[in-house]
Amino acid sequence: MPTKLQKIRARPQPDCVTEERNLIKLAEQEFALSRDHWEELDLPVDLEWTIERFDVAARSRIPNDHRGVYTFVVRPGIANHPACSYLFYVGMAERQSLRVRFNQYLRDKRDTNTRRYHIRDLLNRWDGYIWFCFAKIDNFALISAVEQQLLSAYLPPFNRDFRGNVRPAIRVLR
């Protein structure tokens, strides 16, 4: 005997419901939010973040003489909401300036042959709503450690390279 839920799911849906469900399915993005991971964060340096819209016009405002860490966040910018953002990616500019790294992402966005197809997908799917947040780190020796701690705390959905205890768990999930 079918359950009530099975009966509801078996009912034919109007085309508009099917279309809307398909649209929502395309826009789905899973996030892992872990209070335990947030509370374990113990950075060796204080970070001062700057945020710029991710587009060519912002290029000159990204420092060409500093290195550090960065994130990509998606901000809907609707309903006058003061703080709605979704953190999708954490990275570091350890061997090059933040601007050089920013420019590499501008190229990745257009490059149909990129090996980083998931990054191209992120940059194109959310085009117009992506923000590049960066924090300068003067001590280059700390950049990688800071990035790894941010990765472990935020568990961003578009990152692939995790270390420590998080790595095996992420591999199983993704």
Side-chain angles (χ1 to χ4, degrees), residues 138-153:
D138 294 327
N139 184 343
F140 299 165
L142 297 178
I143 293 173
S144 180
V146 169
E147 181 208 30
Q148 286 306 312
Q149 284 198 40
L150 293 173
L151 284 169
S152 292

Side-chain angles (χ1 to χ4, degrees), residues 106-115 120:
L106 288 173
R107 279 192 302 276
D108 280 345
K109 182 180 173 189
R110 296 183 314 263
D111 185 3
T112 57
N113 295 318
T114 184
R115 294 176 322 172
R120 183 173 188 271

Side-chain angles (χ1 to χ4, degrees), residues 48-67:
E48 293 183 33
W49 293 93
T50 302
I51 185 167
E52 294 286 346
R53 184 178 292 280
F54 180 70
D55 61 25
V56 174
R59 184 185 349 224
S60 64
R61 294 188 298 276
I62 309 300
N64 204 25
D65 56 349
H66 283 90
R67 299 174 188 185

Side-chain angles (χ1 to χ4, degrees), residues 75-84 129:
R75 295 172 68 183
I78 58 173
N80 241 356
H81 196 285
C84 184
Y129 298 95

Side-chain angles (χ1 to χ4, degrees), residues 4-143:
K4 187 174 183 179
L5 184 57
Q6 288 170 330
K7 288 178 185 175
I8 291 170
R9 286 184 178 153
R11 270 188 235 151
Q13 298 292 319
D15 286 345
C16 63
V17 171
T18 301
E19 287 175 25
E20 188 65 23
R21 185 174 42 226
N22 290 341
L23 185 62
I24 291 169
K25 203 73 170 142
L26 284 172
E28 275 184 350
Q29 182 62 58
E30 285 188 18
F31 284 90
L33 303 176
S34 170
R35 291 173 47 135
D36 291 342
H37 287 91
W38 299 342
E39 291 167 3
E40 289 174 8
L41 183 67
D42 184 24
L43 295 174
V45 63
D46 290 333
L47 300 177
E48 293 183 33
W49 293 93
T50 302
I51 185 167
E52 294 286 346
R53 184 178 292 280
F54 180 70
D55 61 25
V56 174
R59 184 185 349 224
S60 64
R61 294 188 298 276
I62 309 300
N64 204 25
D65 56 349
H66 283 90
R67 299 174 188 185
V69 291
Y70 57 88
T71 63
F72 282 108
V73 299
V74 172
R75 295 172 68 183
I78 58 173
N80 241 356
H81 196 285
C84 184
S85 298
Y86 303 91
L87 193 143
F88 277 65
Y89 188 82
V90 170
M92 67 177 169
E94 183 181 40
R95 295 186 180 99
Q96 71 268 34
S97 73
L98 287 158
R99 185 181 302 168
V100 168
R101 197 68 185 109
F102 185 87
N103 286 332
Q104 290 169 346
Y105 283 102
L106 288 173
R107 279 192 302 276
D108 280 345
K109 182 180 173 189
R110 296 183 314 263
D111 185 3
T112 57
N113 295 318
T114 184
R115 294 176 322 172
R116 294 162 38 95
Y117 63 90
H118 63 292
I119 298 301
R120 183 173 188 271
D121 176 48
L122 162 66
L123 299 176
N124 284 290
R125 186 179 349 163
W126 303 106
D127 189 28
Y129 298 95
I130 300 177
W131 294 79
F132 184 78
C133 306
F134 63 90
K136 302 173 196 173
I137 299 177
D138 294 327
N139 184 343
F140 299 165
L142 297 178
I143 293 173

